[in-house]
Amino acid sequence: MSRIARVIVDLSLDKAFDYLIPPPLAARIVIGVRVRVPFGNSFRLGYVLALSDHSDFEEQLKTIESLGDGRTQLPEALIKLGSWMAEYYCCTQEQAIRSLLPGAVRLGRIKPKTLTVYRVAEPEKARQYIEANAGREKAQGRVNLLKVLLEQPGLAADVLLNLAETTVSPLQGLVKNGLVAKSEQLLRRNPFSDSTVLPSAPLPANAEQQAALERVRAMLEGREKRHVMLLHGVTNSGKTEVYLQSIAMALELNRSAIVLVPEISLTPQTVRRFRARFGDKISVLHSRLSDGERFDEWNRINDGIVQIVVGARSALFAPFRNLGLIIVDEEHEASYKQSEAPRYHARDVAVMRGLLEQAAVILGSATPSFESYRNALEKRYVLVEMLHRVDDKLLPSVKVVDLRLGAPEPGEKKSGLFTKILIQAIQERLQLGEQTILFLNRRGFARQMLCESCGYVAGCPSCSVPYTYHRKEEMLSCHLCGSMIEAPECCPSCGAAEIRYSGSGTEKIESLAAAIFRGAKVVRMDSDSIRAGNSHEAILDRFRKGEIDILIGTQMIAKGLHFPNVTLVGIINADQGLYLPDFRACERTFQLLTQVAGRAGRGDVRGEVIIQTFSPANDTIRFAVSQDFKAFYQYDMTVREALHYPPDGHLMVLNFRSLDAEAGMQYAARCMELLRPFCHDEIIVSEPAPAPIEKIKTKYRFQIIFRGRKLKQLRQALRELTLRRRHPEGIELYLDIDAQSLL
Ligand code: ADP
Ligand code: ZN
């Protein structure tokens, strides 16, 4: 047995410390277990990362004090995954371990919830008591209590007293004289306690689904060398059904499964489909769980009570010990990348976890990320395509409308971004009793406030972006830092009253739609309307019931929704986002347009999509219209290859934030000099420069961008620089490995 344990202490040090294992604990100290160790002048909790027989610090070693908590033990494979993350994403060991464990479990403040229940201690004695005291008025309460408990042992006090029609004092009397025993029963804080779902059976798979499932089976049974499959399936091709049946296969082999979905698509609709198929075997993790619920769900997984987890990013770290399958739905989603340290990409970590635990990984999408698609084309991943909708329903027809031609004729009322074609199409739907979704990925009323007299644009003083105008509140708000001011009535700069609001947001589209389509029920869904108290679920529920004719929204409505009566999707302005200074701008636009378009025609009537744009000749828009992912990939990939942007090479961004612009820029230049020796020929460096959004929350931002191959040494140097070096006061550094965006 090993004598020494390497322990990571819950402190922000990128270091593990060696401790002696006290012989009485030797059998129970294993990798991943939580221990209490002396540290400085006090004791701290930590996790055992490794075991060994010798240490470089042999003489000075302290001894582990005790086991922290027998229940919280991380599987060894997860500890390995954490070490890989710390190395690859250049974060500390401790940051990596933190992301493996929800705070509710790690911090030890949440306790299991229990309920006191009562039962008769010895039935024989209880019966004797009932017999001896029958009819005695003073003993009525006790007799009733015993009768109830003999029939139904294990009742909680409130239910018991109710049934026995008595008060608490006879119960206390019975406990005192030993006729009734009380005990603590573990309670689950059940997030589903208020809803039930009807069970569903597997649907007979169609040919494409059958083929996909065969490949999954081969992976699960170890007949396929590669462990990752890319499932490229158009919207409504039945991917979710493939996931469900794949999970069932894993369960048959006694292995568990993790399903990752973007938080935004963790809608009750999606969750219900999984619950309907797997009932109590499933645990759902999302950001709206209370700490108590999260604690209980984690322990149910850890104790092997559930076999399936559905959740957002962090569900990837579910402590299964017999993992068989990981599914990453909508694998192209940018939200799989965590925005604070460790800045890991859940899809990539999923691939690594699958490798470490010999689990199959399915990446699914209608618009795969270029990274995954390239891996599939180069045969590192198994590629499975499902290019037809279920039952061969047609993909929606897509029409492009040129917004430049939308100007009103003389004498015609100006209808903003509603072109005649769009208005007509909506009117037809209203007459037929069908529903419409209108999409615009910008909330608020107007994108900016402009003085027509002096050209002043109202902007946030803390960030380098214009304020957005919100008409209902008569406020200007900054969408980066959240600050708000009252909308001025005349120009704060020159005093003129000629204020113009330009660039429409969802709030404006909502008010225009209400004016154009009188009598129609128009509802807006974006983070503002949700904050104002209209819950996500409530709106979707009304939409499903047909109480809403036109649903207007931001990307919140782009994903995962399945409403058969929606026959028209209007994209108000497809160009938004297209010209952002980011190499993924086209990819994001293509994905978003495809996803939104996929909401149309999921029922019996063929759907129609109207894409409004100022640039109908733009290549990305053209490929989105023809819904041709492969052609778009070929097109955009040539651009990336020419510039060595991912997936042609990796991308690492070193970010600087500083209150003082000058000092920030100087320090960035200094760091560049330190890093230069590690930048060989195959690495392209963009020298220190202001970030595209130069200032956020009063801090100036600079970045150095590295891209290319063979980055190991540079990565090591960057790790040293960001984690070990002391930076000047007031300057923050952070590194983003495989950055998803340059903004
Ligand atoms: P995707 O995840 O690709 O968008 P879904 O799995 O949600 O597709 O399937 C779309 C719709 O088709 C759902 O209503 C689903 O119940 C139905 N469906 C999926 N597979 C089948 C099948 N084999 N037979 C009949 N209906 C199916
Ligand atoms: Zn701001």
Side-chain angles (χ1 to χ4, degrees), residues 466-708:
Y467 275 129
T468 302
Y469 174 55
H470 293 252
R471 193 174 67 173
K472 186 150 163 277
E473 295 84 18
E474 277 300 321
M475 295 291 246
L476 298 180
S477 107
C478 171
H479 285 185
L480 284 182
C481 72
S483 71
M484 299 236 239
I485 59 165
E486 266 174 52
E489 283 174 15
C490 44
C491 173
S493 170
C494 73
E498 277 85 57
I499 285 181
R500 193 163 66 93
Y501 291 103
S502 62
S504 305
T506 43
E507 192 188 348
K508 177 146 177 209
I509 297 301
E510 179 189 19
S511 79
L512 283 173
I516 300 171
F517 309 105
R518 298 204 175 275
K521 185 83 189 126
V522 179
V523 170
R524 168 167 61 98
M525 190 161 103
D526 56 27
S527 50
D528 296 324
S529 75
I530 302 268
R531 208 168 318 125
N534 303 299
S535 90
H536 196 198
E537 282 99 79
I539 297 177
L540 294 180
D541 216 45
R542 284 170 58 205
F543 195 49
R544 185 185 347 268
K545 289 189 190 135
E547 292 167 18
I548 296 170
D549 301 309
I550 304 173
L551 182 67
I552 296 169
T554 52
Q555 56 170 344
M556 203 174 264
I557 60 169
K559 280 154 212 149
L561 305 183
H562 180 75
F563 296 108
N565 198 34
V566 173
T567 55
L568 175 66
V569 166
I571 291 162
I572 300 290
N573 180 0
D575 308 345
Q576 247 183 353
L578 195 53
Y579 300 108
L580 290 174
D582 192 309
F583 72 98
R584 278 187 222 272
C586 294
E587 184 185 0
R588 294 267 172 261
T589 300
F590 181 86
Q591 287 165 349
L592 205 52
L593 295 182
T594 310
Q595 297 289 342
V596 181
R599 302 307 115 217
R602 294 174 79 95
D604 296 328
V605 185
R606 184 174 185 197
E608 181 181 2
V609 179
I610 293 181
I611 298 184
Q612 302 193 132
T613 170
F614 287 102
S615 34
N618 176 284
D619 291 309
T620 302
I621 304 275
R622 285 196 302 112
F623 290 122
V625 170
S626 57
Q627 302 174 65
D628 190 345
F629 172 78
K630 289 181 200 179
F632 171 67
Y633 173 84
Q634 299 300 350
Y635 157 79
D636 206 37
M637 200 56 211
T638 48
V639 180
R640 297 208 196 171
E641 272 168 1
L643 300 171
H644 300 294
Y645 272 116
D648 188 58
H650 281 272
L651 180 75
M652 307 198 287
V653 181
L654 181 59
N655 297 279
F656 298 79
R657 282 190 292 227
S658 168
L659 288 169
D660 180 341
E662 180 88 19
M665 185 61 196
Q666 266 173 20
Y667 190 59
R670 172 97 215 283
C671 291
M672 185 65 244
E673 290 323 308
L674 293 173
L675 294 165
R676 204 173 301 282
F678 301 94
C679 299
H680 55 69
D681 288 355
E682 287 182 66
I683 299 176
I684 301 171
V685 182
S686 306
E687 299 284 327
I693 300 173
E694 286 178 38
K695 188 166 81 164
I696 298 182
K697 295 187 191 171
T698 72
K699 287 182 181 150
Y700 292 89
R701 306 161 73 237
F702 302 91
Q703 50 187 210
I704 309 177
I705 304 170
F706 305 93
R707 48 192 213 272

Side-chain angles (χ1 to χ4, degrees), residues 203-206 209 234 236-241 273 390 562 602:
L203 300 167
N206 64 27
Q209 289 172 322
V234 296
N236 234 358
S237 59
K239 293 187 292 297
T240 310
E241 185 61 32
R273 280 181 83 179
V390 169
H562 180 75
R602 294 174 79 95

Side-chain angles (χ1 to χ4, degrees), residues 426-498:
I426 297 174
Q427 250 146 9
E428 274 168 31
R429 296 320 187 287
L430 290 172
Q431 272 155 20
L432 292 168
E434 294 169 6
Q435 291 168 301
T436 298
I437 286 180
L438 296 179
F439 173 80
L440 182 68
N441 207 12
R442 181 187 295 129
R443 60 200 173 82
F445 192 84
R447 189 181 41 153
Q448 63 178 20
M449 190 207 94
L450 172 83
C451 170
E452 297 214 301
S453 179
C454 75
Y456 171 85
V457 173
C460 174
S462 313
C463 311
S464 47
V465 292
Y467 275 129
T468 302
Y469 174 55
H470 293 252
R471 193 174 67 173
K472 186 150 163 277
E473 295 84 18
E474 277 300 321
M475 295 291 246
L476 298 180
S477 107
C478 171
H479 285 185
L480 284 182
C481 72
S483 71
M484 299 236 239
I485 59 165
E486 266 174 52
E489 283 174 15
C490 44
C491 173
S493 170
C494 73
E498 277 85 57

